[in-house]
Amino acid sequence: MEFAELIKTPRVDGVILHRPFMPTVEGTLCLTGHHIILSSRQDNTEELWLLHANIDSIEKRFVGSLGTIIVKCKDLRVIQLDIPGMEECLNIASSVEALSTLDSVSLMYPFFYRPLFEVIEDGWQLFVPEEAFKDLESMTDEWRLSEVNKDFSVCPSYPSLLTVPKDIDDESLIKAASFRHGGRFPVLSYYHKKNGMVMMRAAQPLTGTNGRRCKEDEKLINATLCAGKRGYIIDTRTIAVAQQAKARGGGFEQEANYPQWRRIHKAIERSNILQESLIKLVEACNDQSHNMDRWLSKLEASNWQSHVKEILTTACLAAQCIDREGASVLVHGSEGTDSTLQVTSLAQIILDPACRTIRGFEALIEREWLQAGHPFQQRCAQSAYSNGKPRSEAPVFLLFLDCVWQILRQFPCSFQFSESFLIMLFEHTYASQFGTFLGNSVAERAKLQLSHKTVSLWSWVNRPQELERYLNPLYEANNLVIWPSVAPQSLLLWEGVFLRWNRSTKCLDEAYQEMVHIIEYNKELQNKVNSLRRQLAQLETEDSPLQTP
Amino acid sequence: MEHIRMPKVENVRLVDRSSSRKSQVGTLYLTATHTIFVGKGSEDRNELWVLHSLVCNIVKHKASQSGYPLLIHCKNFQVIQFIILQESDLHNVYISLTRLSRPEKYEELYCFSFNPAVDKAERQHSWDFIDLKAEYSRMGLPNKLWHVTPINRDYRVCDTYPADLFVPKSVTLPVIVGSSKFRSRGRFPTLSYYCKENHATICRSSQPLSGFSARCLEDEQMLQAIMKSNPGSRFMYVVDTRPKLNAMANRAAGKGYENEDNYCNIKFQFIGIENIHVMRNSQQKLIEVSALRSPSMGEFLLGLENSDWLKHIRSIMEAGIFISKAVADEGVSVLVHCSDGWDRTSQVCSVASVLLDPYYRTIKGMMVLIEKDWVSFGHKFSHRCGHLDGEAKEVSPVLDQFLECVWQLMDQFPCAFEYNEKFLISIHNHVYSSHYGNFICNSQKERKDLRIREKTHSIWPYLMENKLDFMNPLFKPDQIQNQGLLRPSTAPYCFKYWRRLYNRFDRELHPRQSELDCLMAVKDETQQLEEEMALYEQKLAVLDKERAKILYMQKGVLESRQALWSVPLDVSLANTPQDYLGGFIGGAPNVFTSQQGEKESTEFSLFGDKPKSSDAENSDQESGVADFSCHSSGEESLPSEDSVKDSDETGHNRA
């Protein structure tokens, strides 16, 4: 298909762009296969380059022959384009609408994007399971890397290599997989070096109403326990929801069959509820009525902060079981691709200092989200402004980032990256020139040949000049387990994402710059003083023989 | 002292409200000025001192198995819970404390017995630290249009005003007297702030006694004179900070507001800030919300909303913005009043001043502002803070709201203030503590009569000595946008809950690492480095000149420096998990075997749908919790020691 067919009017002159807290720009609007471009053709005025994929919805308005298009983006920005001429405006709107809702993945921009930078380190090869397993091997010999899912037939949403207990053979894995939703049998998520405890994740067991059981599944998870030790199963659903799941063939582990495990139910909501919550939250943040009452009750009614609290609490609980109780943990919800991953990845941030570095965080996202089969493509197809019929969109990953931000706020010196890194990741999950977040699983990505046909986000981000933008100037590595507060008084609204386009950040930017300046100046002085000392010491040793009588 | 029925109670349990596991046993002492708890802990002598004057109320709770709980709520939002074994002891402590925390005479207040080791001259000097005359001359007064009137020298015209007041030179004494007779409590219009650049002023007064139709020529002349003292302007604003309905109701009592028809060239404006009673109730609700133990998100947000507190803060801010814009943007003078002109008027004038003048965003400037607009102009500290036992209806968090407005501004303009929030919190604490004499009494006259200056100490030099604690490392006074008028946003989401104040004593609720402390440590080090560098450069210069001579190198600062900015991490706390599931986990080992065979239903009620409620209730009574506490306290001490070592080491490496 040619994009040109969809572009009814490729360019219009005299278009005026309005953006909040920025001067208006008048210029020429161009439509390409993947971008809306607005350029004033003057120096030092910023141009607008907007990916069609970033467009969540479009509204048209007319006053006389002047048309206005309101473009609402997935990164929550809202911009306005005044387009002279009714026909031009209609054409632009319908073209953009068509281009921003293309269904075929292979027409997405990452397949057309050619990097203008040299790829030094290919992000596609950066985080391979074999490497992670080598690390694990250096700590314990209880685990092995199984190729049972080599052709993705045992579990289509799992990667081809999985870490499982050494004593469990592939045969048993296949049987356990048949007992778990989507074939997602329990696999290793995290090994806590300090005490050898582990976190596993899976999907719900298919017990159904008649209480089916599976010896291999029981054996598999029991194999992760040391003799005489107990473990915790954290079910991210309430007991009521878990009960209901039985009717649809799902369910939860019965005590009788898993006597060494204690089950805890938490209440992380399912994806459609999270999506509704996001929509309400964004509505509240964009409410221009400026009525104090409405703001707080709308914020409350969105339930967003409650979701943040619940997810964080569950992750803390998992971490607490591992680190404080010295117990192993199995986490699952229903499918094991959403709330489960929120919990396992956040628990690692709490427990493992490595996850708080940039590389470590990237590796965590690769391991616990991309390779673990979080369906990014489905979840991030639409964002908060979409008028389209909701399918399986949900801000699952955004909530995870929000939780990370909360921990970052409480431990501002413990993360190598700053808030801007999290915001960048949020943007790229919804619209990107890179292929990293395309597809819903390793299997799909392999089929799309993303690693050959697109550039990895990490290839770009990890270049030193880019990385610099995301470094936290206050970072001081520490090896502690960091326990955040989950009290409502301690949890904040993530303004950097949700109020980003509704406020002027001049003063906040100034504060950030000052912070960077303070620290850089300090480092500079340290270097100077050190070199002066050396100089002085040298002079003195040179001089001292002269003085000796 | 005669009020102390029981100077000492043994075996009292001090309950840590964040987690019941961490309570400690010790001895409770009652002294004339403090309640003191001394923990029995072997080495770390854990002491808790609470000033009686900070105690707001004392509540006996229903007896539990462990004893008789006594809750002490403090004016600085600290809540202390003791458990006393004997009912008779509880009763005695309760009666004594109730009396001690409600002094009947000024002489009983702590400031009169507080006796630091300073001599008389030094004490006198401490009171001269803030000099309002110097402040007015900083503004550019007196000048050819404004001067000090001697009329209130002995407080005869208005006993709640200060002795020295600025009025337009053009008004005669009879005009002032006439105007004062037409204003509530004689509080005639007088200058609060003068803007050197454009001669616009903020003046303040109380409401006029206009009733339905009364007028007063002198008062009209007074306003005219104020307007004329701003030569460039053709009108002035009169801002009534009350809701219109309240102001109208006052007319029936012979009071009210200015009629635009009677005064030349005034523009009259209502700004609906609620009265002290509404504010008191609002803060009470806010305090209840802040003190909730493990509330749900909804409970917290809705509680915050239902308190209306942030709405009130916003209305005060909006009034301040209106006035500051009138002065800075339009160059128009403003007269501000409410009913008596000592609550809302003080708030609004001082908020406007902070917005207008960068000086008030410095540490010294803030002190001056409070002395001027609050202390000297007769904000009724004794009544509003409830220093003495008396009318509960007179208590109101008027100054709290001003401090909070400043805090909200600091949040929006992180580089515009020399001070940080600890400064505001410290002021808040001392306004209520009656530790120093500044905030005692209701007016300058009362303070003079009581000889406060001779008998008590001033707080300001003390705060200034601790200046380093109060500095904002991000302060950039030279930046253009921090120089002139601040233009804050009043979008609802810009008004935030002030956790550091209302949950001041709940350490576990605050960030475990502080950006502020970290940056201060870096700045501190930078300063040392600068000094060191200067020293070395000097030495090098000397060495260059006389290369033959040897100079024994002094051990530089670099070596004496210790772990630097890795320290701010509050290690013990950072490494302590919260109660994420209400003590469930600890209970598990016991429960385990017995529950194995049990039905789902037990699980349902215990850990199923409502972890929330179990959070609150389980933690105290469940037997398993005790196990957990031994278990975890043993463990806690170990990792945190390790981590202290860790951070020390990293510090050394850096150095």
Side-chain angles (χ1 to χ4, degrees):
Chain A
M1 190 195 66
E2 286 292 321
F3 293 115
E5 292 166 22
L6 296 173
I7 302 171
K8 292 180 187 155
T9 302
R11 58 173 277 184
V12 188
D13 290 320
V15 174
I16 300 171
L17 165 70
H18 303 267
R19 286 173 294 185
F21 302 103
M22 292 208 223
T24 56
V25 180
E26 185 177 344
T28 303
L29 183 81
C30 298
L31 281 191
T32 73
H34 293 106
H35 286 97
I36 299 179
I37 302 159
L38 186 124
S39 162
S40 63
R41 303 203 176 157
Q42 278 159 7
D43 298 340
N44 64 39
T45 37
E46 203 199 328
E47 296 177 329
L48 174 78
W49 281 72
L50 190 65
L51 264 181
H52 295 319
N54 192 0
I55 294 171
D56 211 18
S57 77
I58 261 199
E59 285 165 27
K60 303 175 286 258
R61 267 189 235 145
F62 291 96
V63 180
S65 68
L66 179 77
T68 293
I69 300 180
I70 313 247
V71 182
K72 300 186 170 176
C73 303
K74 290 174 186 163
D75 60 17
L76 307 181
R77 159 172 43 162
V78 177
I79 60 170
Q80 182 185 329
L81 294 163
D82 295 343
I83 300 171
M86 190 183 280
E87 200 190 330
E88 282 83 354
C89 183
L90 282 172
N91 283 345
I92 296 282
S94 65
S95 308
V96 169
E97 223 150 36
L99 288 163
S100 61
T101 51
L102 290 176
D103 263 337
S104 167
V105 182
S106 56
L107 291 177
M108 304 291 269
Y109 186 50
F111 289 94
F112 297 83
Y113 170 74
R114 291 292 158 259
L116 293 171
F117 59 90
E118 194 196 339
V119 175
I120 305 162
E121 194 182 27
D122 184 4
W124 291 114
Q125 308 306 325
L126 217 47
F127 308 103
V128 289
E130 289 93 335
E131 288 295 319
F133 186 73
K134 262 187 215 156
D135 285 349
L136 180 69
E137 260 185 325
S138 70
M139 301 183 274
T140 168
D141 58 357
E142 306 273 298
W143 300 83
R144 70 185 183 92
L145 214 47
S146 164
E147 291 185 1
V148 69
N149 200 37
K150 200 165 51 186
D151 52 2
F152 309 110
S153 59
V154 176
C155 172
S157 62
Y158 268 168
S160 50
L161 290 174
L162 291 155
T163 309
V164 296
K166 197 174 65 183
D167 300 338
I168 306 295
D169 57 19
D170 283 358
E171 204 73 352
S172 306
L173 293 178
I174 292 169
K175 282 190 179 141
S178 69
F179 182 63
R180 293 276 171 176
H181 190 114
R184 293 176 71 93
F185 57 88
V187 296
L188 181 80
S189 160
Y190 170 67
Y191 179 85
H192 196 43
K193 196 177 172 184
K194 187 170 135 193
N195 59 9
M197 293 302 127
V198 297
M199 180 161 56
M200 317 255 295
R201 53 176 158 74
Q204 63 178 340
L206 303 174
T207 55
T209 39
N210 52 9
R212 219 163 67 106
R213 62 187 286 191
C214 170
K215 289 277 183 210
E216 287 78 9
D217 188 76
E218 292 160 22
K219 204 177 137 206
L220 168 55
I221 74 166
N222 284 338
T224 67
L225 294 176
C226 311
K229 280 276 192 179
R230 279 177 286 255
Y232 292 92
I233 294 173
I234 296 179
D235 192 326
T236 61
R237 307 161 295 177
T238 62
I239 178 77
V241 173
Q243 289 276 17
Q244 285 160 17
K246 283 184 178 174
R248 289 185 307 270
F252 50 88
E253 295 81 357
Q254 303 288 335
E255 271 81 3
N257 303 339
Y258 299 84
Q260 286 159 286
W261 295 81
R262 188 99 190 96
R263 217 174 61 245
I264 308 172
H265 287 275
K266 297 298 286 182
I268 302 181
E269 290 289 355
R270 288 184 58 88
S271 50
N272 54 333
I273 292 174
L274 301 182
Q275 181 69 7
E276 256 172 58
S277 170
L278 174 69
I279 291 169
K280 283 190 194 157
L281 173 69
V282 171
E283 239 172 55
C285 292
N286 289 345
D287 182 5
Q288 300 300 319
S289 72
H290 281 196
N291 181 323
M292 201 82 202
D293 286 348
R294 296 248 288 284
W295 160 243
L296 281 172
S297 53
K298 279 185 163 181
L299 175 64
E300 194 278 325
S302 79
N303 266 328
W304 183 266
Q305 296 294 90
S306 305
H307 299 315
V308 169
K309 177 170 156 60
E310 192 61 31
I311 294 164
L312 257 183
T313 308
T314 310
C316 289
L317 180 67
Q320 196 178 12
C321 290
I322 293 169
D323 186 67
R324 293 295 161 129
E325 292 299 306
S328 285
V329 169
L330 169 67
V331 183
H332 70 72
S334 302
E335 288 91 356
T337 53
D338 295 295
S339 59
T340 306
L341 305 182
Q342 288 172 330
V343 173
T344 55
S345 53
L346 284 167
Q348 291 180 54
I349 285 173
I350 293 165
L351 293 170
D352 185 1
C355 293
R356 299 172 219 143
T357 64
I358 289 196
R359 273 301 162 103
F361 191 65
E362 290 171 0
L364 181 76
I365 289 171
E366 275 284 343
R367 247 181 11 245
E368 291 300 306
W369 291 89
L370 290 161
Q371 291 167 16
H374 175 66
F376 276 102
Q377 181 117 9
Q378 287 176 13
R379 296 287 180 255
C380 302
Q382 294 176 341
S383 165
Y385 297 121
S386 169
N387 311 315
K389 211 175 132 208
R391 288 166 292 183
S392 33
E393 291 77 10
V396 176
F397 187 70
L398 175 58
L399 269 164
F400 158 71
L401 293 177
D402 195 329
C403 292
V404 176
W405 179 79
Q406 305 285 352
I407 308 177
L408 171 62
R409 290 303 307 152
Q410 295 187 26
F411 295 89
C413 310
S414 297
F415 289 80
Q416 193 189 16
F417 49 87
S418 62
E419 175 182 10
S420 56
F421 190 65
L422 301 173
I423 297 174
M424 180 275 295
L425 287 170
F426 157 61
E427 290 172 343
H428 282 278
T429 52
Y430 280 90
S432 176
Q433 64 269 45
F434 304 106
T436 299
F437 294 109
L438 293 182
N440 293 306
S441 62
V442 175
E444 279 190 39
R445 268 174 228 118
K447 216 166 148 196
L448 288 165
Q449 293 181 286
L450 288 180
S451 60
H452 294 114
K453 294 187 171 170
T454 73
V455 180
S456 161
L457 172 65
W458 314 131
S459 305
W460 174 67
V461 165
N462 286 342
R463 294 172 315 130
Q465 60 270 51
E466 198 57 38
L467 211 55
E468 209 171 276
R469 295 169 43 197
Y470 304 119
L471 290 176
N472 173 10
L474 295 173
Y475 178 56
E476 182 90 3
N478 77 62
N479 290 320
L480 299 175
V481 175
I482 53 175
W483 301 105
S485 163
V486 296
Q489 290 98 322
S490 311
L491 300 177
L492 306 170
L493 175 70
W494 191 6
E495 297 183 29
V497 165
F498 299 111
L499 297 175
R500 183 178 178 191
W501 312 102
N502 300 340
R503 53 171 195 171
S504 159
T505 54
K506 211 172 82 189
C507 294
L508 300 176
D509 294 344
E510 182 202 4
Y512 183 76
Q513 288 311 323
E514 181 60 17
M515 184 167 95
V516 172
H517 167 76
I518 288 171
I519 289 163
E520 273 174 4
Y521 178 58
N522 176 277
K523 284 186 183 148
E524 196 185 303
L525 272 184
Q526 276 184 17
N527 292 336
K528 272 192 195 157
V529 166
N530 280 333
S531 90
L532 278 175
R533 284 184 70 190
R534 251 176 277 129
Q535 220 177 319
L536 209 58
Q538 211 167 19
L539 277 176
E540 274 169 358
T541 43
E542 279 171 19
D543 290 346
S544 48
L546 295 174
Q547 263 289 313
T548 328
Chain B
M1 216 172 126
E2 74 269 27
H3 307 305
I4 302 170
R5 293 184 167 208
M6 186 105 195
K8 179 178 170 187
V9 186
E10 303 270 12
N11 290 320
V12 171
R13 184 175 290 274
L14 172 67
V15 180
D16 186 325
R17 309 232 317 141
S18 69
S19 82
S20 48
R21 308 176 214 139
K22 286 189 225 144
S23 69
Q24 51 173 324
V25 175
T27 309
L28 185 72
Y29 299 91
L30 292 184
T31 73
T33 53
H34 288 86
T35 303
I36 304 163
F37 174 84
V38 181
K40 236 183 218 161
S42 44
E43 283 122 60
D44 50 332
R45 262 172 64 87
N46 216 329
E47 289 184 15
L48 175 77
W49 289 60
V50 185
L51 257 180
H52 295 324
S53 45
L54 270 176
V55 172
C56 167
N57 73 60
I58 309 152
V59 189
K60 288 193 274 192
H61 272 207
K62 245 178 47 210
S64 71
Q65 285 166 323
S66 44
Y68 297 87
L70 183 72
L71 246 79
I72 300 175
H73 295 264
C74 298
K75 293 171 183 171
N76 59 5
F77 312 119
Q78 186 168 22
V79 182
I80 300 156
Q81 187 178 349
F82 291 120
I83 296 177
I84 296 171
L85 287 179
Q86 301 295 325
E87 193 175 7
S88 57
D89 290 348
L90 169 87
H91 187 68
N92 283 331
V93 170
Y94 177 80
I95 299 282
S96 315
L97 254 184
T98 303
R99 174 61 188 86
L100 290 166
S101 64
R102 286 175 202 162
E104 284 159 4
K105 297 189 299 278
Y106 278 122
E107 286 73 12
E108 293 176 36
L109 289 175
Y110 184 47
C111 56
F112 290 98
S113 55
F114 174 58
N115 194 13
V118 291
D119 60 29
K120 221 174 137 192
E122 222 173 311
R123 168 185 296 200
Q124 187 53 43
H125 191 67
S126 84
W127 283 107
D128 295 334
F129 182 71
I130 300 295
D131 176 6
L132 289 186
K133 212 173 256 169
E135 165 59 7
Y136 286 108
S137 84
R138 186 195 67 88
M139 289 184 204
L141 298 180
N143 63 9
K144 60 183 196 305
L145 292 167
W146 294 86
H147 70 162
V148 180
T149 172
I151 200 163
N152 205 37
R153 279 283 143 82
D154 42 16
Y155 307 105
R156 232 176 276 154
V157 175
C158 174
D159 61 358
T160 59
Y161 262 175
D164 293 334
L165 288 158
F166 275 88
V167 291
K169 253 186 189 166
S170 56
V171 296
T172 58
L173 293 182
V175 167
I176 299 177
V177 173
S179 169
S180 85
K181 285 186 174 145
F182 189 63
R183 295 272 167 182
S184 271
R185 318 262 177 174
R187 294 171 70 95
F188 59 88
T190 174
L191 180 133
S192 161
Y193 179 74
Y194 172 75
C195 179
K196 235 186 317 204
E197 285 74 31
N198 60 14
H199 313 294
T201 56
I202 302 175
C203 292
R204 54 185 291 172
S205 69
S206 60
Q207 63 185 337
L209 304 175
S210 51
F212 289 100
S213 58
R215 54 190 292 187
C216 166
L217 207 60
E218 290 92 340
D219 195 61
E220 289 160 25
Q221 285 172 348
M222 184 80 175
L223 263 66
Q224 182 77 357
I226 291 173
M227 204 259 315
K228 289 241 164 94
S229 300
N230 178 6
S233 70
R234 276 175 295 133
F235 70 96
M236 71 182 283
Y237 287 109
V238 175
V239 171
D240 189 327
T241 56
R242 299 169 292 181
K244 189 171 180 184
L245 211 66
N246 301 18
M248 288 178 50
N250 263 301
R251 293 208 304 198
K255 300 166 188 171
Y257 53 93
E258 291 81 356
N259 183 340
E260 272 186 347
D261 299 336
N262 297 342
Y263 293 82
C264 302
N265 307 316
I266 66 162
K267 283 194 184 171
F268 187 85
Q269 178 82 34
F270 281 116
I271 294 179
I273 301 174
E274 297 291 348
N275 65 28
I276 57 166
H277 311 295
V278 174
M279 298 307 191
R280 179 179 57 245
N281 293 336
S282 170
Q283 196 194 37
Q284 195 47 48
K285 285 187 194 160
L286 179 76
I287 292 170
E288 280 162 24
V289 172
S290 70
L292 288 174
R293 295 293 130 184
S294 25
S296 72
M297 206 72 211
E299 281 170 319
F300 177 71
L301 288 175
L302 289 180
L304 190 58
E305 171 171 335
N306 291 334
S307 76
D308 277 340
W309 181 257
L310 294 175
K311 202 162 103 184
H312 297 314
I313 296 295
R314 185 172 176 233
S315 66
I316 296 164
M317 189 76 92
E318 276 173 336
I321 293 170
F322 176 85
I323 294 162
S324 63
K325 279 186 175 168
V327 169
D329 293 350
E330 297 182 66
V332 172
S333 293
V334 186
L335 171 67
V336 186
H337 70 72
C338 46
S339 298
D340 292 314
W342 51 49
D343 294 315
R344 284 168 277 203
T345 301
S346 294
Q347 286 177 331
V348 167
C349 288
S350 47
V351 169
S353 300
V354 171
L355 291 169
L356 278 166
D357 194 333
Y359 178 63
Y360 300 122
R361 298 172 219 146
T362 64
I363 290 181
K364 182 80 184 279
M366 182 67 173
M367 296 174 176
V368 166
L369 185 63
I370 290 177
E371 275 292 330
K372 176 170 73 76
D373 271 335
W374 295 81
V375 177
S376 88
F377 272 108
H379 174 67
K380 303 203 292 176
F381 280 100
S382 279
H383 285 165
R384 298 294 176 256
C385 305
H387 286 327
L388 298 182
D389 190 26
E391 196 64 63
K393 275 188 177 159
E394 284 283 341
V395 176
S396 187
V398 182
L399 186 89
D400 296 27
Q401 290 181 315
F402 163 62
L403 294 174
E404 180 156 342
C405 283
V406 176
W407 179 80
Q408 302 281 0
L409 287 172
M410 283 162 52
D411 187 62
Q412 286 196 40
F413 303 95
C415 301
F417 291 82
E418 187 190 18
Y419 41 85
N420 60 38
E421 66 179 328
K422 286 184 206 165
F423 182 56
L424 302 179
I425 292 170
S426 202
I427 292 175
H428 180 273
N429 191 72
H430 284 292
V431 162
Y432 286 94
S433 73
S434 71
H435 196 143
Y436 295 88
N438 306 62
F439 311 113
I440 307 302
C441 300
N442 293 315
S443 66
Q444 199 176 69
K445 179 174 183 295
E446 280 185 29
R447 276 186 293 274
K448 213 159 253 181
D449 293 346
L450 214 63
R451 300 189 12 242
I452 289 284
R453 275 174 169 249
E454 287 116 80
K455 292 181 173 169
T456 74
H457 297 261
S458 167
I459 182 166
W460 305 122
Y462 159 77
L463 289 182
M464 206 45 135
E465 273 167 34
N466 294 292
K467 191 176 172 181
L468 279 182
D469 289 343
F470 302 136
M471 296 288 273
N472 169 17
L474 299 175
F475 181 46
K476 283 180 83 179
D478 41 347
Q479 203 77 1
I480 290 288
Q481 61 257 37
N482 298 330
Q483 281 170 358
L485 177 66
L486 295 184
R487 298 172 191 279
S489 161
T490 55
Y493 44 71
C494 293
F495 292 86
K496 295 175 191 160
Y497 171 68
W498 193 1
R499 182 183 56 212
R500 286 273 184 201
L501 180 67
Y502 290 104
N503 294 108
R504 192 178 151 196
F505 294 91
D506 304 317
R507 287 205 319 157
E508 74 285 356
L509 294 183
H510 302 293
R512 310 308 163 89
Q513 292 173 322
S514 153
E515 242 172 64
L516 185 112
D517 292 347
C518 188
L519 285 173
M520 276 322 282
V522 174
K523 276 198 128 173
D524 213 37
E525 189 201 32
T526 301
Q527 204 190 338
Q528 290 182 43
L529 286 169
E530 275 170 345
E531 285 163 16
E532 197 177 348
M533 194 165 78
L535 184 77
Y536 288 160
E537 271 167 355
Q538 205 184 343
K539 277 187 188 172
L540 272 175
V542 174
L543 275 175
D544 275 346
K545 272 184 196 162
E546 333 171 22
R547 289 190 58 112
K549 276 192 178 172
I550 184 168
L551 267 173
Y552 284 110
M553 196 181 89
Q554 275 180 13
K555 289 292 174 201
V557 196
L558 257 180
E559 276 168 31
S560 59
R561 256 178 338 158
Q562 290 161 5
L564 287 165
W565 56 303
S566 53
V567 189
L569 174 64
D570 187 343
V571 181
S572 64
L573 197 61
N575 212 11
T576 309
Q578 275 193 342
D579 213 355
Y580 296 114
L581 194 71
F584 156 67
I585 293 182
N590 282 350
V591 183
F592 229 103
T593 37
S594 64
Q595 271 205 348
Q596 267 180 33
E598 277 183 39
K599 299 272 147 47
E600 301 293 332
S601 57
T602 12
E603 179 134 353
F604 221 112
S605 58
L606 263 179
F607 330 105
D609 277 355
K610 289 179 187 143
K612 211 176 45 190
S613 62
S614 65
D615 250 344
E617 289 150 18
N618 276 4
S619 43
D620 274 345
Q621 284 107 8
E622 287 252 317
S623 60
V625 177
D627 291 356
F628 187 41
S629 75
C630 315
H631 174 63
S632 80
S633 61
E635 241 191 23
E636 255 159 36
S637 59
L638 282 176
S640 47
E641 267 173 25
D642 283 349
S643 39
V644 172
K645 254 182 234 151
D646 276 356
S647 55
D648 268 346
E649 272 162 25
T650 43
H652 283 307
N653 289 345
R654 282 179 63 87

